[in-house]
Amino acid sequence: MKQLILLGLAFQAMFANGHSWVDTVAGFYYEASLTYVMLGCLEHYGGCLSPPHRWRQAPLHNYYSTDTIQKIDSEGQLIGAPGYIRNYTARVANQDVDRRNTHEIESPEQPFCSPYQKAQFQANGFPRLNASSGSQIVARYLENGHISAPVVPDSIYKAGKKLQEEEESSTLRNLTTAYVAAGIPLCLVIAPSKYLSISLLEAFTEYTGSGITRGSSGTTLDILSKIPEYAILSHTWGEDKEEVTYRDLIYGTGKNKVGYEKIRFCGEQARRDGLHYFWVDTCCIDKSNNNELAEAINSMFRWYRNAAKCYVYLPDVSSPVIDIGDQLPWEMAFRASRWFTRGWTLQELIAPTSVEFFSKNRELLGDKRSLERHICEITRIPSKALRGGPLAEFSATERMSWAETRQTTREEDMAYSLLGIFDVHMPLIYGERRANAVGRLREAIDRKEKGIKYENFSIPFSLSTISEIEHFVAREDELRDIHEALRGDGSRRTVVLHGLGGIGKTQLATAYAKRHKDNYSAIFWLNIRDEDSLKQSFANVAKQILREYPSARWLSSVNMKNLDEVIDAVKAWQGLTYNTRWLMIYDNYDNPRLASNKDPAAVDITKYLPEAYQGSVLITTRSSQVQIGHLIQVTKLGDLRDSLKILSNTSRREGLMDDVDAARLAKELDGFPLALATAGAYLKQTAIAFSDYLRLYRKSWAKLQKTSPELSSYEDRTLYSTWQISFERVEQRNLLSAQLLRLWAYFDNQDVWFELLQHSDSEDLDWIRELTEDELSFHGAMRVLSDHGLVEVDKSSQELLESRGYSIHGCVHSWTVHVLNQEWNYDLARVALNSVTLHVPGEQANRPWLTQRRLLQHAARCSHILLNGLVPDDGMAGAYSNLGYLFRNQSKLALAEQMYERALQGYEKALGAEHTSTLDTVNNLGALYIDQGKLALAEQMYERALRGREKALGAEHPSTLQTVNNLGILYADQGKLALAEQMYERALRGYEKALGAEHMSTLNIVNNLGILYKNQGKLALAQQTYERALRGYEKALGADNITTYVPALNAVWGLGSLLERQADFAKARIMYSKALVGYEKVGPDHPRCQSLREILQALSTVAEKECMEGIEESANN
């Protein structure tokens, strides 16, 4: 195959830049007129793309070959350039010989001659070569099988005079013919010269088909369009003495060093991937040569980018023997790997297209794409950058942030390792210290990114017109979203930050401006709270521009007292050609001109936006209806640690991460920045503890907020007053919305939904009827609150039977309680109580636990109102009873007891001790006392209820039979099994007669009998009874619903218990598992879940033990 390869790719750059030629590859200089042509065989150099006269010197083309690695194994050394050529190079460098003389080593005893070359000399000798004998010598070597011997024709190696074309062409033709005929690849190293003979090069390339072009600066070569594909190694350096160096390779040392294994791994992996060349930084750069080192560092990013494969070797990552659950077995070690902490590995991660990660034992862990999620989390580098997206699309500040936590051995390398990341070049000055190196890097970045046209519009960055917090916390996701949305080619980009007042929108905009100030020629801050404030802000912007450019077009002649003219002039300046990199921040756009907003003071922002479609705009607003750009909702802080950081920064108190009371306060304030900052400011000025502040916050909210210090970072707004403006605008727009917000104070802040308020009560207020007339009215009122950031759709993931609800932040809820309802409104409190208590579903409802669970927080709020006498007790016995039922079913037994006792007192007072409602409450108290283990009290309640119901309703009434069943349960718990059996059988006969054999109440009695029979040891009868109950439940409820009906789950559990008692462990485990799945659906915290898990674990242990015993018995047999 005909092949021509140009060696010394550094030459191409010199050609392009028109430099006089300096042979940095060889390490010594030639005259500009010298033409140096060397013809040789690639194969002899083990596939190494380096000039024959100096083994592996040039930075870019110092590759190992996978073939060479084989030679290391078989012959005990790395075969490089022949010793006689190395020796000649050294002699020329020392000017010991005339360059025009022959190029040979006459004796194998001379320096640089390896044992391999000595053997060659002893076997074949070394011929003298000149122009007339070149082709004959080649032929002789080929005939003798020495196809790897190089040929260096000295007759074409002349200095200081024009080469004779005829002689050159003849020699080259003869040599090329011989090599090509033998199928041997050829290499040409050539230097530019005004004396370069085109016919000579044409003669050389005649048989290869390569082309030669003449450039504007002289003769240039385009013989090689690209270097061969190669692999490249990324690794962390150990101690210097353990790494294989360039010098080690020259002298054949270093094979016993620890770092040699990395080289061997890279070569072997490259061979497996079909690559013939690879590159390793430890030994492919001559670091003793400062020029070469500087070129290597300035070119490193490109070399990694052009590699076909990049292998990351992680000596601190290996696969553990134990399984650690859902994580990959090596994931923890991977995340903690030292490789992610080093400065140089940043570009080695980003630059290559293909990056593969290998463990200590050379196992492939994955590549950059398959491990992208892990890498993004570890490095905080966006996936777009990892996937090869243009780095110019990321700001200088963001790219700098990728290296913030990384380290380098030499401090200056923290700057030098980023040259490729920013695509800049600069000389290396080791010893200048890190600060100076980083400073020079920033200057280079500034020159590259800004340019002349950019600088013509530069305005110094200033935030003097706004207040800012000293330490901005969290919001990294939002900052990335803003940056991504505003990044572009200079055409208009707009981002709208919307959210609740006090949530931190202004601080977020400030943090973005500070972080990305280098991306913009100018950043202007405008207060758009009202038109007057906005116009004054434009006047300040005009002054900023004129301070830098007194003769600025449009502005220099404007009348500064005419604010409309000033605004037009500023907008015109922003529309100038090339003035595309400004950022305008419109803060506090909380009263936007909208079709739904009739306020005459509302502002139309479109009148104040620059007319030219260029630049960037960032808007902060409470209104979600401002939709003129990319919307980003700013919500509460989700990580408790971020809340604690704000508390720590503002209170100047340390160690909060381990402070339990601080954590409780942070949870109460629920990630709300204004509330956290207010608390911190108060704690800074007082000696009270976090627990004391939390107590005052709950007890004396309004007074605490009024006496809290002002916050400079939140202008004149306090937690007490910040939402008053929003409420007034809501009130103007929709009175129903304002009344609904007032009512919310009597509910919990989470999850208020349409059906909860939609109940029929003749005492309902008129506006409640209007609000709940239909879904459109309800959602319309909620939408107005949502538009002003006060309300958001509830994001709970729990299963719902009714419509999705809405929630407000806990701090806003406290404000509705203490500010909107400074005078307690008994009518609104009664509306909330009725809404919650009338909505409690009974046992026969469709999956009642779902609604009960949803009501629980509202029920807790109602119990607080009731127990603190915030509504008159008259007529509230039913509410107490329903709340007691709800709390008991949700295992809130203490609250249930309080509610039932209040209900009993109310019914006895209003209806008398013998009334059926009173007796129902007595019966319910008996059931609750059983749950609490108060069996004696339970027996008293049941006996009283039974006597009263038999008297009032008769012995066969279902309510009477219910109490009979309850007494049976109680007797069973007391160990009175015979009495229990009598009660169950009486209740069963009565239910079958009154309700039928397949009624749910009847089946519940059957289930109770199954439990009793099992405890009595009547196992066969117990199994029959359980199976009857389960068949009945499935028929009545369906196969799907039975899995969440607690009495049915109790029957499944009972059957499992019976099977376990019969030593049928396999079937018992099946029953227990079914019961566990069902209880978990009812509620993950259901008290029976943990008991079932413990039982299943015990059964698994038994099964494993039996299995091992069986194996041992088989082995013994």
Side-chain angles (χ1 to χ4, degrees):
M1 176 181 178
K2 297 179 180 180
Q3 183 178 2
L4 183 68
I5 300 179
L6 172 67
L7 303 183
L9 296 180
F11 297 164
Q12 291 181 333
M14 290 187 288
F15 293 168
N17 295 329
H19 293 164
S20 61
W21 181 53
V22 178
D23 186 2
T24 57
V25 177
F28 49 88
Y29 301 93
Y30 290 99
E31 301 164 4
S33 60
L34 173 66
T35 298
Y36 172 41
V37 180
M38 183 173 289
L39 186 64
C41 172
L42 258 182
E43 186 171 328
H44 187 89
Y45 311 114
C48 171
L49 285 183
S50 290
H53 59 281
R54 184 163 185 184
W55 166 242
R56 303 179 38 68
Q57 173 66 27
L60 180 55
H61 34 276
N62 290 347
Y63 304 93
Y64 277 130
S65 164
T66 50
D67 299 329
T68 302
I69 291 296
Q70 290 296 316
K71 292 179 182 177
I72 291 176
D73 294 337
S74 61
E75 303 187 25
Q77 65 171 337
L78 181 64
I79 303 300
Y84 50 84
I85 291 181
R86 286 205 300 264
N87 183 56
Y88 170 70
T89 303
R91 290 163 63 196
V92 171
N94 295 325
Q95 299 184 352
D96 291 337
V97 342
D98 191 308
R99 291 177 182 150
R100 292 168 291 178
N101 291 344
T102 56
H103 307 176
E104 74 232 31
I105 291 179
E106 297 177 356
S107 166
E109 302 303 322
Q110 294 198 24
F112 302 97
C113 191
S114 71
Y116 178 71
Q117 283 106 37
K118 288 181 182 180
Q120 282 191 318
F121 285 126
Q122 292 167 359
N124 305 300
F126 183 77
R128 186 182 184 88
L129 177 65
N130 54 41
S132 61
S133 62
S135 61
Q136 289 85 355
I137 296 301
V138 172
R140 185 182 118 189
Y141 264 66
L142 294 177
E143 290 173 2
N144 293 337
H146 300 293
I147 61 172
S148 63
V151 179
V152 184
D154 64 320
S155 60
I156 64 171
Y157 186 57
K158 300 180 181 292
K161 60 183 179 180
K162 186 177 180 180
L163 297 175
Q164 301 299 314
E165 294 188 8
E166 184 175 350
E167 183 181 4
E168 296 162 1
S169 298
S170 174
T171 300
L172 283 171
R173 285 178 187 277
N174 291 336
L175 296 175
T176 304
T177 302
Y179 271 69
V180 171
I184 301 172
L186 304 178
C187 62
L188 172 66
V189 179
I190 191 163
S193 170
K194 61 183 178 181
Y195 299 114
L196 186 62
S197 169
I198 297 301
S199 63
L200 182 148
L201 295 175
E202 289 173 346
F204 189 86
T205 59
E206 181 177 330
Y207 298 96
T208 64
S210 298
I212 301 172
T213 61
R214 180 182 295 274
S216 60
S217 61
T219 304
T220 60
L221 282 178
D222 188 20
I223 295 178
L224 183 69
S225 61
K226 65 177 182 178
I227 61 176
E229 287 191 334
Y230 60 92
I232 200 164
L233 181 68
S234 176
H235 64 108
T236 55
W237 285 42
E239 295 184 18
D240 288 344
K241 64 181 181 180
E242 296 298 338
E243 295 294 346
V244 179
T245 66
Y246 168 80
R247 190 174 182 83
D248 288 329
L249 293 183
I250 290 295
Y251 295 106
T253 58
K255 289 181 291 185
N256 295 325
K257 291 186 175 182
V258 173
Y260 189 78
E261 284 304 309
K262 293 184 284 190
I263 298 172
R264 183 187 297 275
F265 154 72
C266 190
E268 292 175 351
Q269 187 60 41
R271 186 194 311 110
R272 282 191 287 270
D273 289 334
L275 299 171
H276 297 291
Y277 305 95
F278 68 98
W279 191 90
V280 183
D281 56 356
T282 53
C283 54
C284 291
I285 304 172
D286 184 2
K287 298 172 187 64
S288 64
N289 185 323
N290 290 334
N291 290 334
E292 180 174 328
L293 180 61
E295 182 181 357
I297 288 179
N298 277 274
S299 306
M300 193 77 69
F301 187 89
R302 185 173 72 254
W303 301 349
Y304 274 90
R305 183 186 61 204
N306 293 340
K309 293 272 190 179
C310 177
Y311 305 133
V312 177
Y313 179 70
L314 304 175
D316 52 358
V317 177
S318 57
S319 301
V321 177
I322 60 172
D323 184 6
I324 53 176
D326 296 334
Q327 280 189 323
L328 296 170
W330 41 264
E331 184 177 336
M332 291 180 64
F334 181 77
R335 289 178 175 273
S337 176
R338 181 171 177 261
W339 188 85
F340 288 108
T341 69
R342 307 308 295 168
W344 287 106
T345 57
L346 175 61
Q347 65 179 2
E348 296 163 15
L349 170 65
I350 291 175
T353 301
S354 173
V355 180
E356 296 179 347
F357 294 85
F358 292 85
S359 67
K360 179 180 181 181
N361 45 359
R362 304 187 182 185
E363 291 180 358
L364 177 63
L365 305 176
D367 59 22
K368 185 162 63 169
R369 196 60 181 267
S370 66
L371 297 173
E372 183 178 283
R373 178 178 63 84
H374 300 83
I375 295 171
C376 288
E377 292 173 357
I378 296 167
T379 65
R380 302 300 243 170
I381 298 173
S383 59
K384 187 174 183 179
L386 295 177
R387 295 179 184 181
L391 294 183
E393 294 185 2
F394 300 89
S395 72
T397 303
E398 183 172 9
R399 281 179 277 173
M400 280 287 189
S401 72
W402 300 342
E404 281 178 352
T405 59
R406 294 175 180 262
Q407 298 174 341
T408 54
T409 303
R410 302 190 70 168
E411 58 179 310
E412 295 87 357
D413 282 340
M414 281 309 302
Y416 304 157
S417 63
L418 297 175
L419 294 176
I421 298 292
F422 293 98
D423 193 21
V424 296
H425 302 276
M426 67 185 199
L428 311 186
I429 310 175
Y430 283 106
E432 66 174 320
R433 305 306 296 269
R434 174 174 177 170
N436 289 332
V438 172
R440 289 197 299 120
L441 173 63
R442 290 189 181 277
E443 290 176 3
I445 295 169
D446 204 45
R447 287 193 301 271
K448 178 179 178 62
E449 289 197 347
K450 292 184 176 178
I452 297 174
K453 292 175 181 176
Y454 185 55
E455 292 173 355
N456 283 341
F457 299 100
S458 294
I459 305 293
F461 176 70
S462 173
L463 291 176
S464 60
T465 57
I466 64 168
S467 302
E468 58 171 318
I469 54 176
E470 184 177 351
H471 303 286
F472 186 74
V473 173
R475 303 291 192 198
E476 289 300 323
D477 290 340
E478 290 91 338
L479 286 169
R480 278 194 294 272
D481 288 346
I482 298 170
H483 179 54
E484 183 70 26
L486 291 182
R487 187 170 59 204
D489 56 3
S491 58
R492 176 68 58 82
R493 297 287 190 274
T494 302
V495 167
V496 177
L497 302 178
H498 70 96
L500 182 61
I503 203 68
K505 302 180 294 296
T506 298
Q507 279 68 37
L508 178 58
T510 305
Y512 174 80
K514 291 171 65 177
R515 177 173 295 189
H516 297 285
K517 62 182 183 298
D518 293 336
N519 282 46
Y520 300 98
S521 57
I523 298 178
F524 302 118
W525 197 282
L526 303 99
N527 187 347
I528 193 172
R529 177 183 298 179
D530 52 57
E531 246 171 343
D532 290 339
S533 299
L534 180 58
K535 289 181 178 181
Q536 191 57 51
S537 295
F538 267 101
N540 293 333
V541 169
K543 292 175 184 177
Q544 281 183 269
I545 298 171
L546 287 171
R547 273 197 299 268
E548 296 302 314
Y549 306 102
S551 60
R553 185 184 176 190
W554 305 108
L555 283 166
S556 56
S557 59
V558 73
N559 179 4
M560 296 300 291
K561 293 183 179 180
N562 188 330
L563 295 181
D564 291 331
E565 285 187 14
V566 170
I567 293 169
D568 290 338
V570 170
K571 290 163 62 177
W573 180 83
Q574 290 177 308
L576 292 175
T577 306
Y578 302 123
N579 189 11
T580 63
R581 299 299 300 168
W582 47 261
L583 169 64
M584 296 283 278
I585 300 176
Y586 296 81
D587 191 30
N588 299 323
Y589 187 41
D590 299 329
N591 191 17
R593 177 69 56 81
L594 302 167
S596 57
N597 185 3
K598 307 303 182 183
D599 186 354
V603 181
D604 182 3
I605 194 174
T606 60
K607 293 166 50 178
Y608 298 95
L609 293 174
E611 295 172 3
Y613 189 70
Q614 59 194 43
S616 300
V617 173
L618 181 59
I619 301 168
T620 72
T621 177
R622 299 184 182 193
S623 174
S624 62
Q625 288 191 301
V626 179
Q627 300 185 7
I628 58 176
H630 178 73
L631 299 182
I632 297 176
Q633 184 178 9
V634 184
T635 58
K636 67 181 182 181
L637 299 173
D639 192 330
L640 181 65
R641 291 171 296 184
D642 294 331
S643 296
L644 290 171
K645 286 178 185 176
I646 294 178
L647 275 179
S648 178
N649 292 338
T650 53
S651 67
R652 297 294 191 271
R653 302 189 186 189
E654 304 294 332
L656 269 59
M657 293 299 172
D658 300 318
D659 191 316
V660 175
D661 290 331
R664 289 196 182 104
L665 176 58
K667 288 178 182 177
E668 179 78 17
L669 302 181
D670 195 20
F672 194 73
L674 176 57
L676 292 161
T678 300
Y682 189 92
L683 290 163
K684 179 184 174 183
Q685 297 183 1
T686 61
I688 69 172
F690 289 103
S691 58
D692 294 327
Y693 185 92
L694 180 58
R695 174 177 52 79
L696 292 172
Y697 183 88
R698 291 172 174 170
K699 182 179 179 181
S700 307
W701 189 94
K703 186 175 182 180
L704 177 65
Q705 301 309 321
K706 287 179 180 179
T707 57
S708 292
E710 293 183 357
L711 300 173
S712 61
S713 56
Y714 285 88
E715 298 182 348
D716 58 345
R717 294 173 184 167
T718 66
L719 200 61
Y720 186 86
S721 63
T722 188
W723 299 298
Q724 188 63 38
I725 298 172
S726 296
F727 179 75
E728 290 170 359
R729 289 177 181 148
V730 166
E731 205 167 28
Q732 290 174 6
R733 183 174 166 188
N734 189 325
L735 186 58
L736 277 181
S737 301
Q739 290 170 321
L740 175 58
L741 193 60
R742 277 200 177 92
L743 173 62
W744 215 314
Y746 304 91
F747 289 90
D748 185 68
N749 67 303
Q750 299 290 328
D751 195 15
V752 170
W753 68 101
F754 171 63
E755 291 85 355
L756 176 62
L757 300 180
Q758 191 188 39
H759 59 85
S760 56
D761 190 323
S762 58
E763 298 181 2
D764 273 351
L765 302 171
D766 291 340
W767 70 266
I768 290 288
R769 292 196 184 93
E770 183 181 354
L771 177 70
T772 58
E773 181 180 2
D774 53 41
E775 289 180 87
L776 291 176
S777 298
F778 175 79
H779 292 302
M782 282 293 189
R783 192 180 68 227
V784 173
L785 295 175
S786 178
D787 289 344
H788 288 80
L790 294 167
V791 165
E792 62 180 19
V793 175
D794 187 75
K795 296 181 175 63
S796 173
S797 59
Q798 67 182 15
E799 187 180 358
L800 303 177
L801 293 179
E802 298 174 333
S803 62
R804 185 165 292 280
Y806 298 84
S807 296
I808 59 176
H809 191 276
C811 294
V812 180
H813 188 256
S814 296
W815 174 77
T816 65
V817 173
H818 298 284
V819 178
L820 285 188
N821 290 273
Q822 293 184 39
E823 294 184 7
W824 189 258
N825 190 314
Y826 292 100
D827 290 335
L828 294 182
R830 187 176 290 276
V831 168
L833 285 168
N834 287 337
S835 296
V836 174
T837 57
L838 293 176
H839 210 69
V840 176
E843 186 177 288
Q844 304 303 321
N846 177 29
R847 294 187 289 174
W849 58 90
L850 292 177
T851 303
Q852 289 176 6
R853 186 169 58 196
R854 196 175 182 186
L855 284 169
L856 190 58
Q857 295 303 317
H858 295 302
R861 175 70 176 151
C862 290
S863 68
H864 170 80
I865 292 172
L866 288 168
L867 295 175
N868 286 277
L870 299 177
V871 291
D873 251 0
D874 296 342
M876 300 307 297
Y880 281 119
S881 180
N882 286 351
L883 287 174
Y885 176 77
L886 172 64
F887 287 136
R888 184 197 166 205
N889 279 305
Q890 294 296 309
S891 302
K892 307 292 182 182
L893 303 185
L895 277 173
E897 184 175 10
Q898 288 180 302
M899 295 299 106
Y900 277 143
E901 287 176 348
R902 290 290 186 98
L904 182 58
Q905 292 169 9
Y907 282 132
E908 286 178 332
K909 181 179 179 181
L911 304 175
E914 301 299 322
H915 193 276
T916 54
S917 295
T918 306
L919 296 173
D920 289 343
T921 305
V922 170
N923 182 72
N924 291 337
L925 262 174
L928 175 66
Y929 289 147
I930 288 181
D931 292 341
Q932 292 178 314
K934 302 175 181 178
L935 302 187
L937 284 175
E939 187 170 5
Q940 293 176 21
M941 293 295 106
Y942 281 148
E943 288 176 348
R944 174 184 168 184
L946 181 59
R947 288 193 300 271
R949 284 178 167 175
E950 284 178 331
K951 181 178 179 181
L953 304 172
E956 302 298 324
H957 192 276
S959 294
T960 307
L961 296 174
Q962 180 191 39
T963 303
V964 172
N965 175 60
N966 291 342
L967 268 172
I969 295 172
L970 173 64
Y971 292 147
D973 288 344
Q974 291 175 321
K976 303 174 183 177
L977 302 187
L979 283 175
E981 187 172 3
Q982 293 177 19
M983 294 294 106
Y984 285 149
E985 289 177 347
R986 174 186 167 183
L988 181 59
R989 288 192 300 272
Y991 276 130
E992 286 176 332
K993 180 179 179 181
L995 304 174
E998 294 182 352
H999 191 274
M1000 299 296 290
S1001 298
T1002 307
L1003 295 172
N1004 291 342
I1005 302 298
V1006 172
N1007 185 37
N1008 291 341
L1009 269 170
I1011 297 171
L1012 179 67
Y1013 292 149
K1014 181 192 71 174
N1015 293 335
Q1016 290 176 322
K1018 304 174 182 178
L1019 303 186
L1021 189 57
Q1023 184 168 352
Q1024 293 174 14
T1025 307
Y1026 278 135
E1027 289 172 350
R1028 174 190 167 183
L1030 287 174
R1031 286 194 302 271
Y1033 287 138
E1034 186 168 348
K1035 183 176 180 181
L1037 298 172
D1040 293 334
N1041 292 332
I1042 194 176
T1043 60
T1044 51
Y1045 182 60
V1046 173
L1049 294 175
N1050 294 341
V1052 174
W1053 182 334
L1055 186 54
S1057 175
L1058 178 63
L1059 292 168
E1060 180 186 4
R1061 188 166 175 178
Q1062 294 172 331
D1064 193 345
F1065 299 122
K1067 290 182 179 178
R1069 287 184 65 188
I1070 293 173
M1071 291 296 109
Y1072 283 140
S1073 297
K1074 287 182 177 180
L1076 177 59
V1077 170
Y1079 286 123
E1080 287 176 338
K1081 287 182 180 179
V1082 172
D1085 299 326
H1086 194 285
R1088 297 199 171 185
C1089 289
Q1090 185 58 34
S1091 300
L1092 277 169
R1093 292 188 190 103
E1094 293 172 358
I1095 292 171
L1096 284 168
Q1097 181 60 43
L1099 287 179
S1100 296
T1101 303
V1102 171
E1104 290 173 4
K1105 183 178 180 182
E1106 289 182 347
C1107 181
M1108 293 301 298
E1109 289 174 351
I1111 293 172
E1112 291 176 1
E1113 183 178 352
S1114 298
N1116 293 334
N1117 291 336

